[in-house]
Amino acid sequence: MAKAMFGAGCFWGVEYNFANIDGVNEAISGYSGGKVDNPTYEQVCTNTTDHAEVVLVDYDPDTVSYEQLLEVFWRKHDPTTLNRQGSDIGTQYRSAIFYFDDEQKDKAAKSLQKRQTDIGSRKIATEITKARDFWRAEEYHQKYFEKHGVEH
């Protein structure tokens, strides 16, 4: 299995979209990219911890490629909005790809360039950053759509 980590707004929908891909073993909502150990949702929402809401994806690269995961990432959010997705505003909602190795970094950069070409003049705000600590979000955030019967 391999790992990938993405921030694309509220992690509920991001988790749902990745969890339903053939070859994804698990998608876990959490926090990364910040300066506080083991942050809570309430702390992250203050916009003082620098964390993004992220989804850690555990996947089988023989079934689904990292490039395919990147395509889902780009299709499921607006990467041109800085620190927001729809009505969700704050640094925790930023668009981010957290890479685990140089191969992922290179593939992420190439996919960003391709996406930028595809969308034209709107500038992509997505950050590409080395993965650091991942802090699992509180249990009530895990599989939120499944637990609450939300269609997405």
Side-chain angles (χ1 to χ4, degrees), residues 31 34-53 91-92 135 138 140-141:
Y31 314 106
K35 58 188 178 189
V36 173
D37 287 348
N38 202 23
T40 64
Y41 179 70
E42 289 73 23
Q43 288 174 308
V44 171
C45 287
T46 66
N47 285 314
T48 61
T49 70
D50 294 334
H51 287 89
E53 290 189 19
T91 56
Q92 80 263 31
W135 306 100
E138 297 82 352
Y140 69 92
H141 289 298

mmCIF file with all atom_site columns, all heavy atoms in Angstrom, residues 31 34-53 91-92 135 138 140-141:
data_model
loop_
_atom_site.group_PDB
_atom_site.id
_atom_site.type_symbol
_atom_site.label_atom_id
_atom_site.label_alt_id
_atom_site.label_comp_id
_atom_site.label_asym_id
_atom_site.label_entity_id
_atom_site.label_seq_id
_atom_site.pdbx_PDB_ins_code
_atom_site.Cartn_x
_atom_site.Cartn_y
_atom_site.Cartn_z
_atom_site.occupancy
_atom_site.B_iso_or_equiv
_atom_site.pdbx_formal_charge
_atom_site.auth_seq_id
_atom_site.auth_comp_id
_atom_site.auth_asym_id
_atom_site.auth_atom_id
_atom_site.pdbx_PDB_model_num
ATOM 1   N N   . TYR A 1 31  ? -5.699  16.533 10.141 1.00 0.00 ? 31  TYR A N   1
ATOM 2   C CA  . TYR A 1 31  ? -5.093  17.854 10.059 1.00 0.00 ? 31  TYR A CA  1
ATOM 3   C C   . TYR A 1 31  ? -3.605  17.699 9.775  1.00 0.00 ? 31  TYR A C   1
ATOM 4   O O   . TYR A 1 31  ? -2.951  16.797 10.297 1.00 0.00 ? 31  TYR A O   1
ATOM 5   C CB  . TYR A 1 31  ? -5.267  18.613 11.380 1.00 0.00 ? 31  TYR A CB  1
ATOM 6   C CG  . TYR A 1 31  ? -6.668  18.532 11.941 1.00 0.00 ? 31  TYR A CG  1
ATOM 7   C CD1 . TYR A 1 31  ? -6.962  17.732 13.034 1.00 0.00 ? 31  TYR A CD1 1
ATOM 8   C CD2 . TYR A 1 31  ? -7.706  19.248 11.356 1.00 0.00 ? 31  TYR A CD2 1
ATOM 9   C CE1 . TYR A 1 31  ? -8.248  17.646 13.538 1.00 0.00 ? 31  TYR A CE1 1
ATOM 10  C CE2 . TYR A 1 31  ? -9.000  19.169 11.855 1.00 0.00 ? 31  TYR A CE2 1
ATOM 11  C CZ  . TYR A 1 31  ? -9.262  18.360 12.944 1.00 0.00 ? 31  TYR A CZ  1
ATOM 12  O OH  . TYR A 1 31  ? -10.541 18.279 13.429 1.00 0.00 ? 31  TYR A OH  1
ATOM 13  N N   . GLY A 1 34  ? 0.432   22.258 10.087 1.00 0.00 ? 34  GLY A N   1
ATOM 14  C CA  . GLY A 1 34  ? 0.365   23.293 11.116 1.00 0.00 ? 34  GLY A CA  1
ATOM 15  C C   . GLY A 1 34  ? 1.495   23.241 12.111 1.00 0.00 ? 34  GLY A C   1
ATOM 16  O O   . GLY A 1 34  ? 2.443   22.482 11.977 1.00 0.00 ? 34  GLY A O   1
ATOM 17  N N   . LYS A 1 35  ? 1.340   24.058 13.150 1.00 0.00 ? 35  LYS A N   1
ATOM 18  C CA  . LYS A 1 35  ? 2.414   24.224 14.132 1.00 0.00 ? 35  LYS A CA  1
ATOM 19  C C   . LYS A 1 35  ? 2.032   23.776 15.545 1.00 0.00 ? 35  LYS A C   1
ATOM 20  O O   . LYS A 1 35  ? 2.771   24.037 16.479 1.00 0.00 ? 35  LYS A O   1
ATOM 21  C CB  . LYS A 1 35  ? 2.861   25.679 14.151 1.00 0.00 ? 35  LYS A CB  1
ATOM 22  C CG  . LYS A 1 35  ? 1.751   26.662 14.472 1.00 0.00 ? 35  LYS A CG  1
ATOM 23  C CD  . LYS A 1 35  ? 2.195   28.093 14.298 1.00 0.00 ? 35  LYS A CD  1
ATOM 24  C CE  . LYS A 1 35  ? 1.047   29.036 14.580 1.00 0.00 ? 35  LYS A CE  1
ATOM 25  N NZ  . LYS A 1 35  ? 1.339   30.402 14.244 1.00 0.00 ? 35  LYS A NZ  1
ATOM 26  N N   . VAL A 1 36  ? 0.891   23.099 15.688 1.00 0.00 ? 36  VAL A N   1
ATOM 27  C CA  . VAL A 1 36  ? 0.438   22.630 17.003 1.00 0.00 ? 36  VAL A CA  1
ATOM 28  C C   . VAL A 1 36  ? 0.325   21.112 16.957 1.00 0.00 ? 36  VAL A C   1
ATOM 29  O O   . VAL A 1 36  ? -0.218  20.561 16.001 1.00 0.00 ? 36  VAL A O   1
ATOM 30  C CB  . VAL A 1 36  ? -0.935  23.256 17.355 1.00 0.00 ? 36  VAL A CB  1
ATOM 31  C CG1 . VAL A 1 36  ? -1.504  22.673 18.624 1.00 0.00 ? 36  VAL A CG1 1
ATOM 32  C CG2 . VAL A 1 36  ? -0.826  24.766 17.455 1.00 0.00 ? 36  VAL A CG2 1
ATOM 33  N N   . ASP A 1 37  ? 0.859   20.451 17.963 1.00 0.00 ? 37  ASP A N   1
ATOM 34  C CA  . ASP A 1 37  ? 0.726   18.990 18.028 1.00 0.00 ? 37  ASP A CA  1
ATOM 35  C C   . ASP A 1 37  ? -0.691  18.607 18.428 1.00 0.00 ? 37  ASP A C   1
ATOM 36  O O   . ASP A 1 37  ? -1.290  19.227 19.310 1.00 0.00 ? 37  ASP A O   1
ATOM 37  C CB  . ASP A 1 37  ? 1.698   18.401 19.059 1.00 0.00 ? 37  ASP A CB  1
ATOM 38  C CG  . ASP A 1 37  ? 3.138   18.433 18.584 1.00 0.00 ? 37  ASP A CG  1
ATOM 39  O OD1 . ASP A 1 37  ? 3.376   18.693 17.386 1.00 0.00 ? 37  ASP A OD1 1
ATOM 40  O OD2 . ASP A 1 37  ? 4.033   18.195 19.422 1.00 0.00 ? 37  ASP A OD2 1
ATOM 41  N N   . ASN A 1 38  ? -1.203  17.579 17.754 1.00 0.00 ? 38  ASN A N   1
ATOM 42  C CA  . ASN A 1 38  ? -2.506  16.995 18.065 1.00 0.00 ? 38  ASN A CA  1
ATOM 43  C C   . ASN A 1 38  ? -3.613  18.051 18.221 1.00 0.00 ? 38  ASN A C   1
ATOM 44  O O   . ASN A 1 38  ? -4.291  18.104 19.245 1.00 0.00 ? 38  ASN A O   1
ATOM 45  C CB  . ASN A 1 38  ? -2.399  16.128 19.324 1.00 0.00 ? 38  ASN A CB  1
ATOM 46  C CG  . ASN A 1 38  ? -3.503  15.122 19.392 1.00 0.00 ? 38  ASN A CG  1
ATOM 47  O OD1 . ASN A 1 38  ? -4.102  14.745 18.386 1.00 0.00 ? 38  ASN A OD1 1
ATOM 48  N ND2 . ASN A 1 38  ? -3.812  14.670 20.589 1.00 0.00 ? 38  ASN A ND2 1
ATOM 49  N N   . PRO A 1 39  ? -3.818  18.866 17.181 1.00 0.00 ? 39  PRO A N   1
ATOM 50  C CA  . PRO A 1 39  ? -4.814  19.938 17.294 1.00 0.00 ? 39  PRO A CA  1
ATOM 51  C C   . PRO A 1 39  ? -6.237  19.391 17.323 1.00 0.00 ? 39  PRO A C   1
ATOM 52  O O   . PRO A 1 39  ? -6.511  18.313 16.806 1.00 0.00 ? 39  PRO A O   1
ATOM 53  C CB  . PRO A 1 39  ? -4.586  20.754 16.024 1.00 0.00 ? 39  PRO A CB  1
ATOM 54  C CG  . PRO A 1 39  ? -4.126  19.734 15.036 1.00 0.00 ? 39  PRO A CG  1
ATOM 55  C CD  . PRO A 1 39  ? -3.254  18.794 15.835 1.00 0.00 ? 39  PRO A CD  1
ATOM 56  N N   . THR A 1 40  ? -7.101  20.150 17.911 1.00 0.00 ? 40  THR A N   1
ATOM 57  C CA  . THR A 1 40  ? -8.527  19.825 17.890 1.00 0.00 ? 40  THR A CA  1
ATOM 58  C C   . THR A 1 40  ? -9.176  20.613 16.752 1.00 0.00 ? 40  THR A C   1
ATOM 59  O O   . THR A 1 40  ? -8.616  21.602 16.254 1.00 0.00 ? 40  THR A O   1
ATOM 60  C CB  . THR A 1 40  ? -9.218  20.230 19.202 1.00 0.00 ? 40  THR A CB  1
ATOM 61  O OG1 . THR A 1 40  ? -9.156  21.661 19.331 1.00 0.00 ? 40  THR A OG1 1
ATOM 62  C CG2 . THR A 1 40  ? -8.564  19.560 20.411 1.00 0.00 ? 40  THR A CG2 1
ATOM 63  N N   . TYR A 1 41  ? -10.369 20.196 16.370 1.00 0.00 ? 41  TYR A N   1
ATOM 64  C CA  . TYR A 1 41  ? -11.121 20.902 15.339 1.00 0.00 ? 41  TYR A CA  1
ATOM 65  C C   . TYR A 1 41  ? -11.334 22.363 15.756 1.00 0.00 ? 41  TYR A C   1
ATOM 66  O O   . TYR A 1 41  ? -11.180 23.279 14.951 1.00 0.00 ? 41  TYR A O   1
ATOM 67  C CB  . TYR A 1 41  ? -12.453 20.197 15.109 1.00 0.00 ? 41  TYR A CB  1
ATOM 68  C CG  . TYR A 1 41  ? -13.315 20.862 14.072 1.00 0.00 ? 41  TYR A CG  1
ATOM 69  C CD1 . TYR A 1 41  ? -12.968 20.841 12.728 1.00 0.00 ? 41  TYR A CD1 1
ATOM 70  C CD2 . TYR A 1 41  ? -14.498 21.509 14.438 1.00 0.00 ? 41  TYR A CD2 1
ATOM 71  C CE1 . TYR A 1 41  ? -13.764 21.451 11.767 1.00 0.00 ? 41  TYR A CE1 1
ATOM 72  C CE2 . TYR A 1 41  ? -15.300 22.109 13.488 1.00 0.00 ? 41  TYR A CE2 1
ATOM 73  C CZ  . TYR A 1 41  ? -14.925 22.087 12.151 1.00 0.00 ? 41  TYR A CZ  1
ATOM 74  O OH  . TYR A 1 41  ? -15.722 22.688 11.211 1.00 0.00 ? 41  TYR A OH  1
ATOM 75  N N   . GLU A 1 42  ? -11.656 22.576 17.016 1.00 0.00 ? 42  GLU A N   1
ATOM 76  C CA  . GLU A 1 42  ? -11.900 23.924 17.509 1.00 0.00 ? 42  GLU A CA  1
ATOM 77  C C   . GLU A 1 42  ? -10.646 24.788 17.374 1.00 0.00 ? 42  GLU A C   1
ATOM 78  O O   . GLU A 1 42  ? -10.729 25.960 16.996 1.00 0.00 ? 42  GLU A O   1
ATOM 79  C CB  . GLU A 1 42  ? -12.378 23.896 18.967 1.00 0.00 ? 42  GLU A CB  1
ATOM 80  C CG  . GLU A 1 42  ? -13.785 23.367 19.152 1.00 0.00 ? 42  GLU A CG  1
ATOM 81  C CD  . GLU A 1 42  ? -13.924 21.847 18.955 1.00 0.00 ? 42  GLU A CD  1
ATOM 82  O OE1 . GLU A 1 42  ? -12.911 21.095 19.100 1.00 0.00 ? 42  GLU A OE1 1
ATOM 83  O OE2 . GLU A 1 42  ? -15.031 21.408 18.619 1.00 0.00 ? 42  GLU A OE2 1
ATOM 84  N N   . GLN A 1 43  ? -9.476  24.224 17.667 1.00 0.00 ? 43  GLN A N   1
ATOM 85  C CA  . GLN A 1 43  ? -8.226  24.976 17.515 1.00 0.00 ? 43  GLN A CA  1
ATOM 86  C C   . GLN A 1 43  ? -7.963  25.309 16.044 1.00 0.00 ? 43  GLN A C   1
ATOM 87  O O   . GLN A 1 43  ? -7.593  26.437 15.719 1.00 0.00 ? 43  GLN A O   1
ATOM 88  C CB  . GLN A 1 43  ? -7.044  24.177 18.064 1.00 0.00 ? 43  GLN A CB  1
ATOM 89  C CG  . GLN A 1 43  ? -6.995  24.078 19.566 1.00 0.00 ? 43  GLN A CG  1
ATOM 90  C CD  . GLN A 1 43  ? -5.883  23.152 20.015 1.00 0.00 ? 43  GLN A CD  1
ATOM 91  O OE1 . GLN A 1 43  ? -5.780  22.018 19.550 1.00 0.00 ? 43  GLN A OE1 1
ATOM 92  N NE2 . GLN A 1 43  ? -5.050  23.640 20.922 1.00 0.00 ? 43  GLN A NE2 1
ATOM 93  N N   . VAL A 1 44  ? -8.153  24.323 15.168 1.00 0.00 ? 44  VAL A N   1
ATOM 94  C CA  . VAL A 1 44  ? -7.901  24.524 13.742 1.00 0.00 ? 44  VAL A CA  1
ATOM 95  C C   . VAL A 1 44  ? -8.811  25.619 13.188 1.00 0.00 ? 44  VAL A C   1
ATOM 96  O O   . VAL A 1 44  ? -8.385  26.448 12.376 1.00 0.00 ? 44  VAL A O   1
ATOM 97  C CB  . VAL A 1 44  ? -8.066  23.194 12.969 1.00 0.00 ? 44  VAL A CB  1
ATOM 98  C CG1 . VAL A 1 44  ? -8.032  23.423 11.469 1.00 0.00 ? 44  VAL A CG1 1
ATOM 99  C CG2 . VAL A 1 44  ? -6.978  22.198 13.381 1.00 0.00 ? 44  VAL A CG2 1
ATOM 100 N N   . CYS A 1 45  ? -10.040 25.663 13.653 1.00 0.00 ? 45  CYS A N   1
ATOM 101 C CA  . CYS A 1 45  ? -11.011 26.661 13.174 1.00 0.00 ? 45  CYS A CA  1
ATOM 102 C C   . CYS A 1 45  ? -10.672 28.087 13.594 1.00 0.00 ? 45  CYS A C   1
ATOM 103 O O   . CYS A 1 45  ? -11.245 29.035 13.059 1.00 0.00 ? 45  CYS A O   1
ATOM 104 C CB  . CYS A 1 45  ? -12.418 26.304 13.649 1.00 0.00 ? 45  CYS A CB  1
ATOM 105 S SG  . CYS A 1 45  ? -13.109 24.897 12.761 1.00 0.00 ? 45  CYS A SG  1
ATOM 106 N N   . THR A 1 46  ? -9.743  28.278 14.514 1.00 0.00 ? 46  THR A N   1
ATOM 107 C CA  . THR A 1 46  ? -9.351  29.629 14.917 1.00 0.00 ? 46  THR A CA  1
ATOM 108 C C   . THR A 1 46  ? -8.419  30.280 13.891 1.00 0.00 ? 46  THR A C   1
ATOM 109 O O   . THR A 1 46  ? -8.115  31.473 14.016 1.00 0.00 ? 46  THR A O   1
ATOM 110 C CB  . THR A 1 46  ? -8.631  29.624 16.284 1.00 0.00 ? 46  THR A CB  1
ATOM 111 O OG1 . THR A 1 46  ? -7.377  28.925 16.140 1.00 0.00 ? 46  THR A OG1 1
ATOM 112 C CG2 . THR A 1 46  ? -9.484  29.016 17.376 1.00 0.00 ? 46  THR A CG2 1
ATOM 113 N N   . ASN A 1 47  ? -7.943  29.505 12.923 1.00 0.00 ? 47  ASN A N   1
ATOM 114 C CA  . ASN A 1 47  ? -6.988  29.989 11.917 1.00 0.00 ? 47  ASN A CA  1
ATOM 115 C C   . ASN A 1 47  ? -5.669  30.442 12.535 1.00 0.00 ? 47  ASN A C   1
ATOM 116 O O   . ASN A 1 47  ? -4.973  31.289 11.982 1.00 0.00 ? 47  ASN A O   1
ATOM 117 C CB  . ASN A 1 47  ? -7.582  31.114 11.067 1.00 0.00 ? 47  ASN A CB  1
ATOM 118 C CG  . ASN A 1 47  ? -8.574  30.611 10.063 1.00 0.00 ? 47  ASN A CG  1
ATOM 119 O OD1 . ASN A 1 47  ? -8.328  29.619 9.375  1.00 0.00 ? 47  ASN A OD1 1
ATOM 120 N ND2 . ASN A 1 47  ? -9.719  31.275 9.977  1.00 0.00 ? 47  ASN A ND2 1
ATOM 121 N N   . THR A 1 48  ? -5.311  29.881 13.684 1.00 0.00 ? 48  THR A N   1
ATOM 122 C CA  . THR A 1 48  ? -4.044  30.235 14.323 1.00 0.00 ? 48  THR A CA  1
ATOM 123 C C   . THR A 1 48  ? -3.054  29.073 14.348 1.00 0.00 ? 48  THR A C   1
ATOM 124 O O   . THR A 1 48  ? -1.900  29.277 14.702 1.00 0.00 ? 48  THR A O   1
ATOM 125 C CB  . THR A 1 48  ? -4.276  30.715 15.769 1.00 0.00 ? 48  THR A CB  1
ATOM 126 O OG1 . THR A 1 48  ? -4.877  29.654 16.520 1.00 0.00 ? 48  THR A OG1 1
ATOM 127 C CG2 . THR A 1 48  ? -5.140  31.967 15.799 1.00 0.00 ? 48  THR A CG2 1
ATOM 128 N N   . THR A 1 49  ? -3.482  27.872 13.974 1.00 0.00 ? 49  THR A N   1
ATOM 129 C CA  . THR A 1 49  ? -2.592  26.708 14.044 1.00 0.00 ? 49  THR A CA  1
ATOM 130 C C   . THR A 1 49  ? -1.889  26.416 12.717 1.00 0.00 ? 49  THR A C   1
ATOM 131 O O   . THR A 1 49  ? -0.955  25.625 12.685 1.00 0.00 ? 49  THR A O   1
ATOM 132 C CB  . THR A 1 49  ? -3.360  25.441 14.464 1.00 0.00 ? 49  THR A CB  1
ATOM 133 O OG1 . THR A 1 49  ? -4.220  25.039 13.397 1.00 0.00 ? 49  THR A OG1 1
ATOM 134 C CG2 . THR A 1 49  ? -4.141  25.656 15.752 1.00 0.00 ? 49  THR A CG2 1
ATOM 135 N N   . ASP A 1 50  ? -2.359  27.017 11.635 1.00 0.00 ? 50  ASP A N   1
ATOM 136 C CA  . ASP A 1 50  ? -1.833  26.815 10.275 1.00 0.00 ? 50  ASP A CA  1
ATOM 137 C C   . ASP A 1 50  ? -2.124  25.437 9.692  1.00 0.00 ? 50  ASP A C   1
ATOM 138 O O   . ASP A 1 50  ? -1.582  25.082 8.649  1.00 0.00 ? 50  ASP A O   1
ATOM 139 C CB  . ASP A 1 50  ? -0.326  27.081 10.200 1.00 0.00 ? 50  ASP A CB  1
ATOM 140 C CG  . ASP A 1 50  ? 0.029   28.532 10.466 1.00 0.00 ? 50  ASP A CG  1
ATOM 141 O OD1 . ASP A 1 50  ? -0.825  29.411 10.231 1.00 0.00 ? 50  ASP A OD1 1
ATOM 142 O OD2 . ASP A 1 50  ? 1.160   28.784 10.924 1.00 0.00 ? 50  ASP A OD2 1
ATOM 143 N N   . HIS A 1 51  ? -2.976  24.652 10.334 1.00 0.00 ? 51  HIS A N   1
ATOM 144 C CA  . HIS A 1 51  ? -3.314  23.336 9.796  1.00 0.00 ? 51  HIS A CA  1
ATOM 145 C C   . HIS A 1 51  ? -4.316  23.449 8.656  1.00 0.00 ? 51  HIS A C   1
ATOM 146 O O   . HIS A 1 51  ? -5.138  24.366 8.633  1.00 0.00 ? 51  HIS A O   1
ATOM 147 C CB  . HIS A 1 51  ? -3.928  22.437 10.886 1.00 0.00 ? 51  HIS A CB  1
ATOM 148 C CG  . HIS A 1 51  ? -2.933  21.962 11.872 1.00 0.00 ? 51  HIS A CG  1
ATOM 149 N ND1 . HIS A 1 51  ? -2.640  22.677 13.005 1.00 0.00 ? 51  HIS A ND1 1
ATOM 150 C CD2 . HIS A 1 51  ? -2.158  20.856 11.894 1.00 0.00 ? 51  HIS A CD2 1
ATOM 151 C CE1 . HIS A 1 51  ? -1.721  22.024 13.698 1.00 0.00 ? 51  HIS A CE1 1
ATOM 152 N NE2 . HIS A 1 51  ? -1.403  20.925 13.039 1.00 0.00 ? 51  HIS A NE2 1
ATOM 153 N N   . ALA A 1 52  ? -4.240  22.488 7.753  1.00 0.00 ? 52  ALA A N   1
ATOM 154 C CA  . ALA A 1 52  ? -5.262  22.305 6.726  1.00 0.00 ? 52  ALA A CA  1
ATOM 155 C C   . ALA A 1 52  ? -6.078  21.087 7.109  1.00 0.00 ? 52  ALA A C   1
ATOM 156 O O   . ALA A 1 52  ? -5.557  20.150 7.711  1.00 0.00 ? 52  ALA A O   1
ATOM 157 C CB  . ALA A 1 52  ? -4.612  22.068 5.361  1.00 0.00 ? 52  ALA A CB  1
ATOM 158 N N   . GLU A 1 53  ? -7.362  21.115 6.775  1.00 0.00 ? 53  GLU A N   1
ATOM 159 C CA  . GLU A 1 53  ? -8.160  19.897 6.858  1.00 0.00 ? 53  GLU A CA  1
ATOM 160 C C   . GLU A 1 53  ? -7.713  19.037 5.686  1.00 0.00 ? 53  GLU A C   1
ATOM 161 O O   . GLU A 1 53  ? -7.733  19.491 4.534  1.00 0.00 ? 53  GLU A O   1
ATOM 162 C CB  . GLU A 1 53  ? -9.655  20.212 6.757  1.00 0.00 ? 53  GLU A CB  1
ATOM 163 C CG  . GLU A 1 53  ? -10.193 20.911 7.970  1.00 0.00 ? 53  GLU A CG  1
ATOM 164 C CD  . GLU A 1 53  ? -11.711 21.038 7.967  1.00 0.00 ? 53  GLU A CD  1
ATOM 165 O OE1 . GLU A 1 53  ? -12.383 20.293 7.222  1.00 0.00 ? 53  GLU A OE1 1
ATOM 166 O OE2 . GLU A 1 53  ? -12.217 21.890 8.721  1.00 0.00 ? 53  GLU A OE2 1
ATOM 167 N N   . THR A 1 91  ? -7.861  29.306 6.571  1.00 0.00 ? 91  THR A N   1
ATOM 168 C CA  . THR A 1 91  ? -6.651  28.622 6.099  1.00 0.00 ? 91  THR A CA  1
ATOM 169 C C   . THR A 1 91  ? -6.796  27.108 6.122  1.00 0.00 ? 91  THR A C   1
ATOM 170 O O   . THR A 1 91  ? -6.134  26.411 5.363  1.00 0.00 ? 91  THR A O   1
ATOM 171 C CB  . THR A 1 91  ? -5.425  29.041 6.932  1.00 0.00 ? 91  THR A CB  1
ATOM 172 O OG1 . THR A 1 91  ? -5.700  28.775 8.314  1.00 0.00 ? 91  THR A OG1 1
ATOM 173 C CG2 . THR A 1 91  ? -5.085  30.504 6.741  1.00 0.00 ? 91  THR A CG2 1
ATOM 174 N N   . GLN A 1 92  ? -7.668  26.575 6.980  1.00 0.00 ? 92  GLN A N   1
ATOM 175 C CA  . GLN A 1 92  ? -7.822  25.117 7.040  1.00 0.00 ? 92  GLN A CA  1
ATOM 176 C C   . GLN A 1 92  ? -8.504  24.567 5.794  1.00 0.00 ? 92  GLN A C   1
ATOM 177 O O   . GLN A 1 92  ? -8.477  23.374 5.551  1.00 0.00 ? 92  GLN A O   1
ATOM 178 C CB  . GLN A 1 92  ? -8.560  24.668 8.309  1.00 0.00 ? 92  GLN A CB  1
ATOM 179 C CG  . GLN A 1 92  ? -10.063 24.802 8.274  1.00 0.00 ? 92  GLN A CG  1
ATOM 180 C CD  . GLN A 1 92  ? -10.553 26.066 8.928  1.00 0.00 ? 92  GLN A CD  1
ATOM 181 O OE1 . GLN A 1 92  ? -9.893  27.099 8.940  1.00 0.00 ? 92  GLN A OE1 1
ATOM 182 N NE2 . GLN A 1 92  ? -11.742 26.011 9.498  1.00 0.00 ? 92  GLN A NE2 1
ATOM 183 N N   . TRP A 1 135 ? -2.465  14.431 11.913 1.00 0.00 ? 135 TRP A N   1
ATOM 184 C CA  . TRP A 1 135 ? -3.220  14.272 13.149 1.00 0.00 ? 135 TRP A CA  1
ATOM 185 C C   . TRP A 1 135 ? -4.634  13.860 12.776 1.00 0.00 ? 135 TRP A C   1
ATOM 186 O O   . TRP A 1 135 ? -5.345  14.602 12.091 1.00 0.00 ? 135 TRP A O   1
ATOM 187 C CB  . TRP A 1 135 ? -3.235  15.571 13.958 1.00 0.00 ? 135 TRP A CB  1
ATOM 188 C CG  . TRP A 1 135 ? -1.847  16.085 14.217 1.00 0.00 ? 135 TRP A CG  1
ATOM 189 C CD1 . TRP A 1 135 ? -1.194  17.079 13.544 1.00 0.00 ? 135 TRP A CD1 1
ATOM 190 C CD2 . TRP A 1 135 ? -0.938  15.607 15.200 1.00 0.00 ? 135 TRP A CD2 1
ATOM 191 N NE1 . TRP A 1 135 ? 0.061   17.253 14.063 1.00 0.00 ? 135 TRP A NE1 1
ATOM 192 C CE2 . TRP A 1 135 ? 0.246   16.353 15.080 1.00 0.00 ? 135 TRP A CE2 1
ATOM 193 C CE3 . TRP A 1 135 ? -1.009  14.611 16.174 1.00 0.00 ? 135 TRP A CE3 1
ATOM 194 C CZ2 . TRP A 1 135 ? 1.354   16.152 15.891 1.00 0.00 ? 135 TRP A CZ2 1
ATOM 195 C CZ3 . TRP A 1 135 ? 0.095   14.417 16.989 1.00 0.00 ? 135 TRP A CZ3 1
ATOM 196 C CH2 . TRP A 1 135 ? 1.253   15.174 16.851 1.00 0.00 ? 135 TRP A CH2 1
ATOM 197 N N   . GLU A 1 138 ? -11.150 14.144 14.985 1.00 0.00 ? 138 GLU A N   1
ATOM 198 C CA  . GLU A 1 138 ? -12.031 13.518 15.959 1.00 0.00 ? 138 GLU A CA  1
ATOM 199 C C   . GLU A 1 138 ? -12.942 12.506 15.260 1.00 0.00 ? 138 GLU A C   1
ATOM 200 O O   . GLU A 1 138 ? -13.262 12.643 14.082 1.00 0.00 ? 138 GLU A O   1
ATOM 201 C CB  . GLU A 1 138 ? -12.871 14.594 16.648 1.00 0.00 ? 138 GLU A CB  1
ATOM 202 C CG  . GLU A 1 138 ? -12.042 15.587 17.455 1.00 0.00 ? 138 GLU A CG  1
ATOM 203 C CD  . GLU A 1 138 ? -11.409 16.726 16.654 1.00 0.00 ? 138 GLU A CD  1
ATOM 204 O OE1 . GLU A 1 138 ? -11.458 16.716 15.395 1.00 0.00 ? 138 GLU A OE1 1
ATOM 205 O OE2 . GLU A 1 138 ? -10.832 17.627 17.259 1.00 0.00 ? 138 GLU A OE2 1
ATOM 206 N N   . TYR A 1 140 ? -16.055 11.928 15.259 1.00 0.00 ? 140 TYR A N   1
ATOM 207 C CA  . TYR A 1 140 ? -17.298 12.377 14.630 1.00 0.00 ? 140 TYR A CA  1
ATOM 208 C C   . TYR A 1 140 ? -17.068 12.951 13.229 1.00 0.00 ? 140 TYR A C   1
ATOM 209 O O   . TYR A 1 140 ? -18.014 13.098 12.464 1.00 0.00 ? 140 TYR A O   1
ATOM 210 C CB  . TYR A 1 140 ? -18.063 13.371 15.523 1.00 0.00 ? 140 TYR A CB  1
ATOM 211 C CG  . TYR A 1 140 ? -17.433 14.729 15.719 1.00 0.00 ? 140 TYR A CG  1
ATOM 212 C CD1 . TYR A 1 140 ? -17.752 15.791 14.869 1.00 0.00 ? 140 TYR A CD1 1
ATOM 213 C CD2 . TYR A 1 140 ? -16.546 14.970 16.766 1.00 0.00 ? 140 TYR A CD2 1
ATOM 214 C CE1 . TYR A 1 140 ? -17.203 17.052 15.053 1.00 0.00 ? 140 TYR A CE1 1
ATOM 215 C CE2 . TYR A 1 140 ? -15.991 16.220 16.958 1.00 0.00 ? 140 TYR A CE2 1
ATOM 216 C CZ  . TYR A 1 140 ? -16.314 17.253 16.101 1.00 0.00 ? 140 TYR A CZ  1
ATOM 217 O OH  . TYR A 1 140 ? -15.761 18.494 16.293 1.00 0.00 ? 140 TYR A OH  1
ATOM 218 N N   . HIS A 1 141 ? -15.817 13.242 12.863 1.00 0.00 ? 141 HIS A N   1
ATOM 219 C CA  . HIS A 1 141 ? -15.508 13.707 11.507 1.00 0.00 ? 141 HIS A CA  1
ATOM 220 C C   . HIS A 1 141 ? -15.252 12.551 10.540 1.00 0.00 ? 141 HIS A C   1
ATOM 221 O O   . HIS A 1 141 ? -15.284 12.743 9.335  1.00 0.00 ? 141 HIS A O   1
ATOM 222 C CB  . HIS A 1 141 ? -14.272 14.608 11.516 1.00 0.00 ? 141 HIS A CB  1
ATOM 223 C CG  . HIS A 1 141 ? -14.502 15.935 12.134 1.00 0.00 ? 141 HIS A CG  1
ATOM 224 N ND1 . HIS A 1 141 ? -15.409 16.851 11.641 1.00 0.00 ? 141 HIS A ND1 1
ATOM 225 C CD2 . HIS A 1 141 ? -13.924 16.517 13.215 1.00 0.00 ? 141 HIS A CD2 1
ATOM 226 C CE1 . HIS A 1 141 ? -15.378 17.939 12.383 1.00 0.00 ? 141 HIS A CE1 1
ATOM 227 N NE2 . HIS A 1 141 ? -14.498 17.766 13.345 1.00 0.00 ? 141 HIS A NE2 1
#
